Amino acid sequence: MNRKLLSIMTLALLVASVSFAAAPGAADTYKSKCATCHGPDGKGATAIGKSMKIRDLSSAEVQKQSDADLEKIISDGKGKMPAYKTKLSVADVSSLVAFIRGLAKH
Ligand code: HEC
């Protein structure tokens, strides 16, 4: 294999890994943007969560809301919950709602 081909392949690998890091799944987004307040399991058992009296995301009170309700809270914020519409795409927000639905099953 010649050097030029090798460097092209290295570059392609680099580009692939960078684009992978730029498009994290909902679990990663949740972990980096939401878990500080809501806790890794959504129960809000963090210092911030307790002081803000955040409801358990896996609880029936939260889960009974529609996907649209939850998407709106994440996009527009609510009380001390920050708005994410400028930071996350519509697809990210809906995949976070799916992630929150998954928390209920545990
Ligand atoms: C700075 C702390 C903080 C961060 C970060 C945060 N939230 Fe919240 N979140 C809150 C608070 C406080 C509430 C309760 C708002 C209220 O009811 O007044 C809340 C409420 C919610 C609710 C509605 C729960 C209910 O009681 O009906 C959802 C869903 C939610 N957050 C999802 C998320 C997601 C997804 C992220 C990450 C993209 C996130 N939150 C990041 C503080 C935070």
Side-chain angles (χ1 to χ4, degrees):
M1 199 185 312
N2 67 37
R3 282 180 82 89
K4 195 174 172 198
L5 190 62
L6 198 71
S7 62
I8 289 170
M9 282 177 65
T10 311
L11 197 73
L13 254 169
L14 220 88
V15 169
S17 58
V18 166
S19 58
F20 180 72
D28 290 329
T29 309
Y30 180 86
K31 214 156 86 183
S32 63
K33 295 202 159 56
C34 323
T36 36
C37 293
H38 289 281
D41 53 3
K43 296 198 184 301
T46 62
I48 303 174
K50 281 180 189 151
S51 75
M52 289 184 179
K53 298 190 168 60
I54 304 183
R55 293 197 286 185
D56 178 353
L57 294 180
S58 68
S59 70
E61 298 108 289
V62 173
Q63 293 289 332
K64 75 179 178 208
Q65 299 172 89
S66 69
D67 285 3
D69 290 338
L70 298 176
E71 280 168 14
K72 191 171 156 45
I73 293 169
I74 300 167
S75 307
D76 299 344
K78 185 185 169 195
K80 295 203 177 74
M81 160 90 189
Y84 282 95
K85 65 176 159 223
T86 58
K87 300 182 189 102
L88 295 171
S89 68
V90 171
D92 286 337
V93 171
S94 70
S95 63
L96 280 167
V97 169
F99 179 82
I100 291 167
R101 295 293 183 209
L103 295 173
K105 292 171 194 121
H106 299 295

XYZ file of all heavy atoms in Angstrom:
813
model
N 0.851 -1.197 0.000
C 0.000 0.000 0.000
C 0.890 1.251 0.000
O 1.828 1.336 0.788
C -0.880 -0.016 1.244
C -2.067 0.886 1.091
S -3.034 0.988 2.578
C -3.237 -0.688 3.083
N 0.634 2.221 -0.879
C 1.484 3.415 -0.894
C 1.054 4.438 0.183
O -0.024 4.352 0.761
C 1.536 4.045 -2.287
C 0.199 4.614 -2.715
O -0.524 5.159 -1.889
N -0.129 4.496 -3.973
N 1.939 5.367 0.420
C 1.733 6.347 1.510
C 0.486 7.200 1.308
O -0.214 7.512 2.269
C 2.945 7.281 1.606
C 4.130 6.667 2.294
C 5.265 7.680 2.332
N 5.088 8.617 3.443
C 5.579 8.379 4.662
N 6.238 7.274 4.895
N 5.398 9.245 5.613
N 0.265 7.578 0.029
C -0.857 8.473 -0.249
C -2.191 7.794 0.109
O -3.044 8.376 0.780
C -0.833 8.874 -1.729
C -1.718 10.072 -2.013
C -1.578 10.561 -3.436
C -2.617 11.611 -3.708
N -2.785 11.793 -5.143
N -2.309 6.551 -0.305
C -3.527 5.801 -0.023
C -3.721 5.651 1.489
O -4.834 5.806 2.017
C -3.442 4.424 -0.696
C -4.737 3.627 -0.684
C -5.816 4.378 -1.461
C -4.523 2.259 -1.293
N -2.615 5.396 2.155
C -2.664 5.230 3.606
C -3.156 6.508 4.291
O -4.008 6.458 5.188
C -1.273 4.844 4.118
C -1.264 4.236 5.515
C -1.883 2.850 5.450
C 0.161 4.149 6.040
N -2.648 7.668 3.822
C -3.061 8.912 4.475
C -4.511 9.243 4.153
O -5.228 9.777 4.988
C -2.118 10.059 4.099
O -2.172 10.276 2.725
N -4.970 8.878 2.968
C -6.387 9.097 2.619
C -7.272 8.246 3.522
O -8.282 8.709 4.054
C -6.652 8.786 1.126
C -6.003 9.868 0.245
C -8.155 8.713 0.841
C -5.993 9.540 -1.223
N -6.848 7.011 3.735
C -7.637 6.118 4.590
C -7.666 6.612 6.036
O -8.692 6.549 6.705
C -7.079 4.695 4.528
C -7.505 3.995 3.253
S -6.784 2.373 3.115
C -7.568 1.564 4.503
N -6.527 7.127 6.509
C -6.458 7.660 7.873
C -7.406 8.846 8.007
O -8.150 8.968 8.978
C -5.015 8.104 8.211
O -4.139 7.053 7.860
C -4.866 8.448 9.669
N -7.387 9.707 6.977
C -8.250 10.886 6.979
C -9.725 10.472 7.003
O -10.520 11.027 7.771
C -7.960 11.720 5.721
C -8.480 13.144 5.784
C -7.612 13.954 6.740
C -8.457 13.783 4.405
N -10.072 9.476 6.199
C -11.457 9.018 6.135
C -11.903 8.486 7.498
O -13.017 8.759 7.953
C -11.604 7.939 5.067
N -11.010 7.764 8.156
C -11.318 7.221 9.475
C -11.552 8.342 10.483
O -12.475 8.295 11.294
C -10.144 6.376 9.965
C -10.369 4.874 9.916
C -9.061 4.153 10.166
C -11.397 4.473 10.961
N -10.696 9.365 10.386
C -10.788 10.514 11.281
C -12.123 11.229 11.099
O -12.810 11.551 12.060
C -9.647 11.478 10.943
C -8.993 12.108 12.157
C -7.887 11.183 12.632
C -8.421 13.456 11.799
N -12.496 11.475 9.839
C -13.753 12.157 9.526
C -14.929 11.335 10.062
O -15.839 11.868 10.679
C -13.886 12.401 8.007
C -15.291 12.865 7.655
C -12.870 13.433 7.551
N -14.852 10.014 9.864
C -15.936 9.147 10.329
C -16.078 9.222 11.841
O -17.194 9.315 12.354
C -15.676 7.706 9.886
N -14.969 9.238 12.579
C -15.078 9.254 14.032
C -15.542 10.616 14.532
O -16.281 10.695 15.505
C -13.768 8.833 14.690
O -12.741 9.682 14.276
N -15.157 11.696 13.848
C -15.601 13.031 14.248
C -17.106 13.164 14.038
O -17.819 13.629 14.916
C -14.837 14.143 13.476
C -15.527 15.486 13.642
C -13.406 14.232 13.986
N -17.609 12.708 12.891
C -19.046 12.859 12.649
C -19.850 11.963 13.596
O -20.961 12.298 13.969
C -19.396 12.574 11.193
O -18.995 11.287 10.852
N -19.255 10.854 14.020
C -19.946 10.002 14.989
C -20.085 10.739 16.318
O -21.133 10.756 16.923
C -19.183 8.677 15.174
C -19.830 7.753 16.155
C -21.002 7.101 15.822
C -19.280 7.562 17.412
C -21.617 6.260 16.723
C -19.886 6.723 18.324
C -21.061 6.068 17.974
N -19.000 11.419 16.728
C -19.014 12.138 18.002
C -19.980 13.320 17.957
O -20.550 13.705 18.965
C -17.611 12.612 18.337
N -20.188 13.896 16.755
C -21.059 15.063 16.634
C -22.542 14.685 16.624
O -23.390 15.546 16.755
C -20.717 15.831 15.372
N -22.846 13.418 16.442
C -24.240 12.993 16.417
C -24.489 11.940 17.496
O -24.683 10.774 17.207
C -24.597 12.452 15.031
N -24.454 12.339 18.752
C -24.613 11.354 19.815
C -26.055 10.864 19.910
O -26.980 11.553 19.483
C -24.222 12.130 21.077
C -24.494 13.558 20.755
C -24.342 13.705 19.269
N -26.243 9.708 20.473
C -27.582 9.184 20.663
C -28.249 9.883 21.831
O -27.611 10.652 22.540
N -29.542 9.615 22.005
C -30.304 10.268 23.070
C -29.708 9.991 24.449
O -29.692 10.885 25.294
C -31.752 9.799 23.011
N -29.183 8.785 24.651
C -28.635 8.447 25.965
C -27.442 9.341 26.292
O -27.300 9.802 27.423
C -28.233 6.978 26.012
N -26.606 9.614 25.270
C -25.447 10.479 25.490
C -25.878 11.919 25.712
O -25.326 12.612 26.562
C -24.497 10.415 24.288
C -23.804 9.074 24.191
O -23.574 8.454 25.254
O -23.512 8.633 23.080
N -26.867 12.371 24.927
C -27.368 13.735 25.078
C -27.946 13.898 26.482
O -27.673 14.880 27.171
C -28.480 14.032 24.043
O -27.996 13.677 22.769
C -28.864 15.501 24.053
N -28.715 12.910 26.896
C -29.318 12.964 28.229
C -28.232 13.051 29.297
O -28.301 13.880 30.199
C -30.210 11.727 28.461
C -30.849 11.771 29.825
C -32.045 12.460 30.035
C -30.213 11.190 30.916
C -32.592 12.554 31.310
C -30.753 11.274 32.190
C -31.942 11.953 32.381
O -32.471 12.066 33.639
N -27.220 12.184 29.155
C -26.146 12.131 30.140
C -25.406 13.468 30.230
O -25.114 13.947 31.318
C -25.163 11.019 29.761
C -24.554 10.342 30.963
C -24.069 8.938 30.652
C -22.673 8.940 30.093
N -22.207 7.613 29.709
N -25.155 14.097 29.066
C -24.372 15.331 29.100
C -25.210 16.559 29.406
O -24.726 17.502 30.003
C -23.602 15.510 27.788
O -24.488 15.644 26.720
N -26.489 16.585 29.005
C -27.274 17.815 29.159
C -28.347 17.759 30.242
O -28.805 18.803 30.696
C -27.966 18.161 27.830
C -26.996 18.511 26.732
C -27.697 19.331 25.661
C -26.743 20.129 24.815
N -25.701 19.339 24.175
N -28.798 16.594 30.618
C -29.975 16.512 31.489
C -29.685 15.868 32.844
O -30.332 16.186 33.831
C -31.081 15.712 30.802
S -31.191 16.004 29.019
N -28.713 14.945 32.878
C -28.497 14.154 34.090
C -28.025 14.976 35.287
O -28.258 14.573 36.420
C -27.517 13.014 33.803
N -27.387 16.138 35.041
C -26.933 16.971 36.157
C -28.110 17.359 37.049
O -27.955 17.455 38.250
C -26.256 18.264 35.662
O -26.924 18.696 34.495
C -24.787 18.058 35.405
N -29.256 17.597 36.471
C -30.431 17.942 37.269
C -31.334 16.727 37.490
O -31.811 16.498 38.595
C -31.245 19.036 36.572
S -30.384 20.613 36.496
N -31.595 15.979 36.429
C -32.575 14.889 36.515
C -31.997 13.573 37.032
O -32.764 12.654 37.321
C -33.235 14.665 35.150
C -34.164 15.776 34.781
N -35.442 15.881 35.284
C -33.994 16.864 33.989
C -36.018 16.975 34.803
N -35.158 17.593 34.015
N -30.668 13.491 37.112
C -30.042 12.241 37.556
C -29.948 11.263 36.411
O -30.748 11.334 35.474
N -28.977 10.332 36.460
C -28.769 9.391 35.355
C -29.994 8.505 35.085
O -30.210 8.071 33.966
C -27.571 8.546 35.808
C -27.398 8.819 37.265
C -28.005 10.152 37.548
N -30.803 8.269 36.107
C -31.983 7.411 35.950
C -33.276 8.221 35.852
O -34.367 7.663 35.871
C -32.067 6.425 37.133
C -31.996 7.155 38.478
O -31.933 8.406 38.489
O -32.005 6.476 39.519
N -33.163 9.566 35.783
C -34.342 10.419 35.636
C -35.117 10.654 36.916
O -36.139 11.336 36.923
N -34.625 10.099 38.027
C -35.385 10.213 39.272
C -35.186 11.550 39.975
O -35.859 11.845 40.956
C -35.045 9.054 40.209
C -35.471 7.720 39.627
C -35.545 6.631 40.676
C -35.873 5.273 40.074
N -37.153 5.230 39.349
N -34.242 12.348 39.466
C -34.024 13.674 40.050
C -33.427 13.620 41.439
O -33.562 14.563 42.212
N -32.753 12.510 41.761
C -32.175 12.353 43.093
C -30.793 12.998 43.182
O -29.895 12.469 43.820
C -32.110 10.862 43.448
N -30.625 14.144 42.533
C -29.355 14.870 42.589
C -29.546 16.050 43.530
O -30.690 16.398 43.860
C -28.985 15.427 41.192
O -29.998 16.359 40.794
C -28.907 14.325 40.146
N -28.441 16.692 43.934
C -28.547 17.858 44.816
C -29.404 18.934 44.150
O -30.312 19.487 44.767
C -27.152 18.384 45.131
N -29.141 19.193 42.860
C -29.908 20.211 42.134
C -31.361 19.762 42.007
O -32.287 20.532 42.242
C -29.322 20.462 40.721
C -27.851 20.872 40.816
C -30.132 21.524 39.976
C -27.158 21.003 39.461
N -31.540 18.498 41.645
C -32.886 17.948 41.467
C -33.730 18.099 42.722
O -34.897 18.483 42.656
N -33.099 17.807 43.864
C -33.838 17.912 45.125
C -34.164 19.357 45.447
O -35.273 19.667 45.876
C -33.023 17.285 46.262
C -33.120 15.770 46.245
C -32.314 15.176 47.390
C -32.218 13.670 47.259
N -30.983 13.156 47.845
N -33.185 20.268 45.231
C -33.437 21.662 45.574
C -34.491 22.273 44.649
O -35.228 23.152 45.035
C -32.140 22.471 45.581
O -31.735 22.717 44.263
N -34.569 21.773 43.412
C -35.568 22.293 42.469
C -36.876 21.505 42.523
O -37.807 21.784 41.783
C -35.016 22.243 41.039
C -33.916 23.241 40.770
S -33.445 23.171 39.029
C -32.185 24.444 38.969
N -36.910 20.493 43.375
C -38.099 19.631 43.515
C -38.560 19.066 42.165
O -39.728 19.149 41.797
C -39.248 20.390 44.174
C -38.908 20.851 45.582
C -40.152 21.375 46.292
C -39.930 21.577 47.774
N -38.849 22.551 48.081
N -37.622 18.518 41.426
C -37.948 17.946 40.115
C -38.684 16.618 40.308
O -38.293 15.810 41.151
C -36.668 17.712 39.290
C -35.882 19.024 39.145
C -37.018 17.167 37.911
C -34.632 18.896 38.287
N -39.726 16.428 39.519
C -40.453 15.157 39.604
C -39.646 14.050 38.926
O -38.908 14.297 37.978
C -41.812 15.283 38.908
C -42.744 16.240 39.642
C -44.157 16.054 39.203
N -44.394 16.600 37.851
C -45.598 16.645 37.288
N -46.660 16.183 37.940
N -45.750 17.139 36.077
N -39.853 12.830 39.401
C -39.217 11.645 38.833
C -39.730 11.457 37.395
O -40.936 11.309 37.178
C -39.614 10.458 39.733
C -39.070 9.133 39.241
O -38.491 9.084 38.137
O -39.241 8.154 39.978
N -38.816 11.491 36.416
C -39.244 11.366 35.013
C -39.868 9.999 34.716
O -40.627 9.861 33.771
C -38.065 11.616 34.061
C -37.472 13.038 34.042
C -36.312 13.113 33.051
C -38.515 14.093 33.703
N -39.530 9.000 35.539
C -40.104 7.672 35.293
C -41.467 7.495 35.984
O -42.128 6.473 35.817
C -39.130 6.587 35.775
O -39.029 6.603 37.189
N -41.886 8.513 36.769
C -43.145 8.393 37.518
C -44.381 8.500 36.622
O -44.315 9.052 35.515
C -43.214 9.500 38.576
O -43.387 10.752 37.937
N -45.496 8.025 37.134
C -46.745 8.057 36.381
C -47.196 9.488 36.066
O -47.707 9.749 34.974
C -47.831 7.313 37.161
N -46.979 10.427 37.027
C -47.410 11.823 36.796
C -46.719 12.405 35.558
O -47.326 13.147 34.798
C -47.037 12.745 37.963
C -47.656 12.422 39.272
C -46.592 11.854 40.194
O -46.162 10.701 39.943
O -46.195 12.543 41.146
N -45.440 12.093 35.408
C -44.708 12.620 34.249
C -45.067 11.816 33.001
O -45.350 12.383 31.944
C -43.181 12.616 34.512
C -42.419 13.007 33.256
C -42.833 13.565 35.665
N -45.120 10.504 33.138
C -45.358 9.631 31.987
C -46.761 9.765 31.393
O -46.972 9.449 30.232
C -45.091 8.160 32.373
C -43.625 7.867 32.680
C -42.738 7.890 31.436
O -43.198 7.626 30.333
N -41.466 8.207 31.621
N -47.723 10.234 32.201
C -49.091 10.350 31.660
C -49.229 11.515 30.673
O -50.213 11.599 29.930
C -50.115 10.463 32.800
C -50.133 11.811 33.468
C -51.176 11.883 34.571
C -51.131 13.237 35.237
N -51.564 13.257 36.628
N -48.236 12.421 30.656
C -48.275 13.519 29.688
C -47.982 12.977 28.288
O -47.296 11.975 28.141
C -47.231 14.581 30.065
C -47.488 15.199 31.444
C -46.349 16.107 31.881
O -46.352 17.281 31.581
N -45.372 15.558 32.567
N -48.500 13.672 27.278
C -48.298 13.198 25.904
C -46.875 13.498 25.442
O -46.185 14.323 26.045
C -49.290 13.887 24.975
O -48.954 15.254 24.859
N -46.467 12.848 24.359
C -45.142 13.123 23.782
C -45.024 14.605 23.456
O -43.992 15.222 23.680
C -44.930 12.311 22.492
C -44.648 10.843 22.783
O -44.664 10.442 23.971
O -44.429 10.091 21.817
N -46.114 15.189 22.921
C -46.104 16.603 22.545
C -45.881 17.493 23.768
O -45.137 18.478 23.695
C -47.396 16.970 21.837
N -46.509 17.130 24.900
C -46.320 17.904 26.140
C -44.855 17.873 26.564
O -44.271 18.906 26.893
C -47.146 17.302 27.298
C -48.654 17.501 27.133
O -49.051 18.417 26.396
O -49.413 16.727 27.748
N -44.282 16.671 26.565
C -42.896 16.522 27.006
C -41.937 17.229 26.044
O -40.994 17.886 26.472
C -42.532 15.036 27.148
C -43.340 14.257 28.197
C -42.963 12.788 28.189
C -43.153 14.824 29.598
N -42.228 17.126 24.743
C -41.384 17.808 23.749
C -41.415 19.311 23.977
O -40.403 19.993 23.863
C -41.864 17.492 22.317
C -41.377 16.140 21.842
C -42.069 15.671 20.562
O -42.722 16.490 19.893
O -41.950 14.464 20.264
N -42.605 19.827 24.306
C -42.757 21.263 24.532
C -41.962 21.717 25.759
O -41.296 22.748 25.714
C -44.250 21.601 24.689
C -44.512 23.094 24.648
C -46.000 23.388 24.594
C -46.318 24.782 25.139
N -45.441 25.850 24.687
N -42.012 20.927 26.835
C -41.259 21.278 28.050
C -39.758 21.312 27.745
O -39.060 22.237 28.141
C -41.566 20.283 29.198
C -43.028 20.427 29.650
C -40.621 20.522 30.394
C -43.516 19.320 30.596
N -39.279 20.309 26.990
C -37.847 20.261 26.676
C -37.465 21.428 25.746
O -36.446 22.072 25.944
C -37.452 18.902 26.052
C -37.756 17.762 27.032
C -35.962 18.878 25.670
C -37.708 16.367 26.418
N -38.298 21.720 24.751
C -37.971 22.792 23.796
C -38.086 24.178 24.418
O -37.214 25.020 24.232
C -38.912 22.764 22.594
O -38.922 21.503 22.027
N -39.196 24.417 25.133
C -39.474 25.770 25.636
C -39.058 25.988 27.084
O -39.069 27.114 27.561
C -40.977 26.073 25.528
C -41.459 26.031 24.081
O -40.606 26.075 23.178
O -42.679 25.947 23.863
N -38.764 24.905 27.807
C -38.449 25.029 29.220
C -39.716 25.171 30.039
O -40.822 25.302 29.495
N -39.545 25.099 31.377
C -40.692 25.221 32.264
C -40.148 25.535 33.641
O -39.292 24.794 34.152
C -41.446 23.883 32.284
C -42.732 23.912 33.080
C -43.346 22.515 33.145
C -44.477 22.478 34.143
N -44.862 21.109 34.490
N -40.581 26.611 34.257
C -40.038 26.991 35.566
C -38.526 27.120 35.479
O -38.014 27.866 34.647
N -37.809 26.340 36.296
C -36.340 26.401 36.301
C -35.713 25.491 35.249
O -34.499 25.426 35.119
C -35.827 26.011 37.690
C -36.246 26.996 38.762
C -35.287 26.911 39.941
C -35.612 27.910 41.020
N -36.828 27.526 41.790
N -36.532 24.765 34.542
C -36.018 23.890 33.479
C -35.631 24.761 32.281
O -36.461 25.514 31.769
C -37.122 22.904 33.110
C -36.986 22.264 31.767
S -36.046 20.745 31.847
C -35.881 20.452 30.089
N -34.371 24.683 31.846
C -33.956 25.530 30.711
C -34.589 25.102 29.384
O -34.950 23.938 29.229
C -32.436 25.356 30.660
C -32.063 24.260 31.586
C -33.280 23.832 32.340
N -34.743 26.042 28.455
C -35.267 25.733 27.118
C -34.130 25.179 26.266
O -33.008 25.660 26.339
C -35.824 26.995 26.476
N -34.446 24.165 25.472
C -33.398 23.538 24.652
C -33.608 23.706 23.155
O -32.879 23.136 22.368
C -33.272 22.043 25.010
C -32.507 21.855 26.295
C -33.181 21.733 27.505
C -31.118 21.852 26.308
C -32.480 21.610 28.703
C -30.404 21.728 27.492
C -31.096 21.599 28.683
O -30.394 21.492 29.856
N -34.613 24.499 22.755
C -34.900 24.553 21.318
C -33.767 25.147 20.480
O -33.646 24.827 19.311
C -36.224 25.248 21.030
C -36.272 26.690 21.396
C -37.619 27.276 20.975
C -37.900 28.530 21.764
N -39.269 28.597 22.224
N -32.919 25.998 21.100
C -31.800 26.547 20.327
C -30.586 25.625 20.381
O -29.660 25.778 19.607
C -31.393 27.936 20.862
O -31.051 27.803 22.252
C -32.511 28.947 20.724
N -30.596 24.670 21.324
C -29.430 23.798 21.500
C -29.625 22.423 20.877
O -28.666 21.738 20.555
C -29.115 23.633 22.980
C -28.807 24.956 23.659
C -28.457 24.743 25.129
C -28.363 26.049 25.892
N -29.553 26.307 26.706
N -30.882 22.000 20.753
C -31.152 20.652 20.244
C -32.089 20.724 19.042
O -32.961 21.591 18.984
C -31.809 19.802 21.345
C -30.974 19.492 22.590
C -31.838 18.836 23.648
C -29.791 18.594 22.262
N -31.924 19.775 18.115
C -32.817 19.719 16.960
C -34.148 19.083 17.387
O -34.235 18.466 18.457
C -32.174 18.891 15.857
O -32.099 17.542 16.268
N -35.155 19.228 16.536
C -36.461 18.622 16.797
C -36.293 17.096 16.943
O -36.903 16.471 17.808
C -37.441 18.975 15.651
C -38.744 18.188 15.780
C -37.736 20.472 15.657
N -35.423 16.528 16.100
C -35.171 15.080 16.166
C -34.528 14.694 17.495
O -34.883 13.668 18.087
C -34.286 14.657 14.998
N -33.600 15.536 17.986
C -32.958 15.262 19.278
C -34.004 15.273 20.389
O -33.996 14.404 21.268
C -31.922 16.353 19.620
C -30.655 16.248 18.790
O -30.362 15.153 18.293
O -29.953 17.277 18.661
N -34.894 16.288 20.344
C -35.906 16.414 21.391
C -36.822 15.196 21.368
O -37.111 14.603 22.409
C -36.703 17.732 21.237
C -37.891 17.765 22.193
C -35.797 18.938 21.493
N -37.244 14.756 20.175
C -38.157 13.616 20.156
C -37.438 12.324 20.555
O -38.043 11.460 21.185
C -38.928 13.511 18.841
O -38.061 13.136 17.823
N -36.134 12.224 20.268
C -35.448 11.017 20.724
C -35.233 11.043 22.238
O -35.216 10.002 22.883
C -34.156 10.750 19.946
O -33.241 11.775 20.147
N -35.135 12.254 22.817
C -35.054 12.354 24.280
C -36.368 11.927 24.930
O -36.368 11.289 25.983
C -34.697 13.785 24.700
C -33.209 14.133 24.603
C -32.992 15.631 24.719
C -32.394 13.402 25.650
N -37.484 12.282 24.280
C -38.783 11.853 24.816
C -38.855 10.316 24.797
O -39.265 9.695 25.775
C -39.964 12.489 24.038
C -41.288 11.844 24.425
C -40.013 13.990 24.293
N -38.385 9.719 23.697
C -38.362 8.248 23.622
C -37.477 7.676 24.726
O -37.825 6.667 25.354
C -37.861 7.803 22.250
N -36.367 8.365 25.000
C -35.461 7.924 26.070
C -36.172 7.993 27.428
O -36.083 7.068 28.240
C -34.197 8.801 26.074
C -33.220 8.438 27.156
C -32.330 7.388 26.986
C -33.198 9.145 28.349
C -31.429 7.044 27.995
C -32.305 8.810 29.362
C -31.422 7.757 29.179
N -36.915 9.087 27.654
C -37.659 9.262 28.912
C -38.733 8.175 29.053
O -38.954 7.637 30.130
C -38.265 10.688 28.990
C -37.137 11.721 29.152
C -39.278 10.815 30.131
C -37.557 13.164 28.937
N -39.390 7.830 27.930
C -40.368 6.724 27.956
C -39.685 5.433 28.397
O -40.257 4.620 29.115
C -40.994 6.518 26.574
C -41.849 7.684 26.075
C -43.093 7.858 26.895
N -43.932 8.932 26.352
C -44.741 9.664 27.120
N -44.837 9.461 28.421
N -45.469 10.605 26.586
N -38.456 5.239 27.960
C -37.705 4.034 28.319
C -37.402 3.968 29.815
O -37.309 2.886 30.378
N -37.268 5.133 30.466
C -36.980 5.159 31.889
C -38.121 4.568 32.711
O -37.910 4.025 33.783
C -36.741 6.616 32.368
C -35.526 7.356 31.805
C -35.550 8.811 32.257
C -34.232 6.693 32.243
N -39.332 4.691 32.191
C -40.515 4.226 32.916
C -40.537 2.711 33.095
O -41.146 2.201 34.010
C -41.772 4.655 32.179
N -39.871 2.010 32.210
C -39.931 0.552 32.235
C -38.997 -0.068 33.259
O -38.984 -1.277 33.425
C -39.644 -0.004 30.839
C -40.771 0.342 29.882
C -40.418 -0.004 28.437
C -41.395 0.654 27.488
N -40.678 1.540 26.550
N -38.208 0.774 33.971
C -37.261 0.184 34.907
C -37.793 0.184 36.333
O -38.653 0.950 36.659
C -35.929 0.947 34.842
C -35.334 0.856 33.470
N -34.906 -0.326 32.929
C -35.154 1.793 32.519
C -34.453 -0.082 31.704
N -34.608 1.171 31.432
C -30.889 23.119 35.390
C -31.552 21.867 35.714
C -32.245 21.119 34.572
C -31.668 20.609 33.430
C -30.220 20.707 32.977
C -32.735 19.915 32.727
N -33.911 20.017 33.423
Fe -35.667 19.150 32.921
N -36.569 20.034 34.520
C -35.928 20.821 35.462
C -36.910 21.325 36.408
C -36.618 22.229 37.609
C -38.159 20.809 35.996
C -39.531 21.062 36.652
C -40.172 22.253 35.977
C -41.504 22.616 36.605
O -42.395 21.752 36.655
O -41.643 23.764 37.027
C -37.915 19.999 34.812
C -38.886 19.325 34.116
C -38.649 18.469 33.058
C -39.654 17.673 32.413
C -41.136 17.623 32.816
C -41.256 16.783 34.056
C -42.582 17.011 34.752
O -42.547 17.244 35.968
O -43.614 16.957 34.082
C -39.040 16.964 31.415
C -39.684 15.975 30.479
C -37.652 17.351 31.436
N -37.446 18.262 32.449
C -36.702 16.868 30.571
C -35.386 17.336 30.510
C -34.450 16.961 29.482
C -34.718 15.964 28.377
C -33.304 17.656 29.726
C -32.012 17.674 28.916
C -32.125 18.071 27.522
C -33.518 18.448 30.927
N -34.795 18.232 31.362
C -32.562 19.260 31.518
C -34.567 21.092 35.508
C -33.643 20.756 34.551
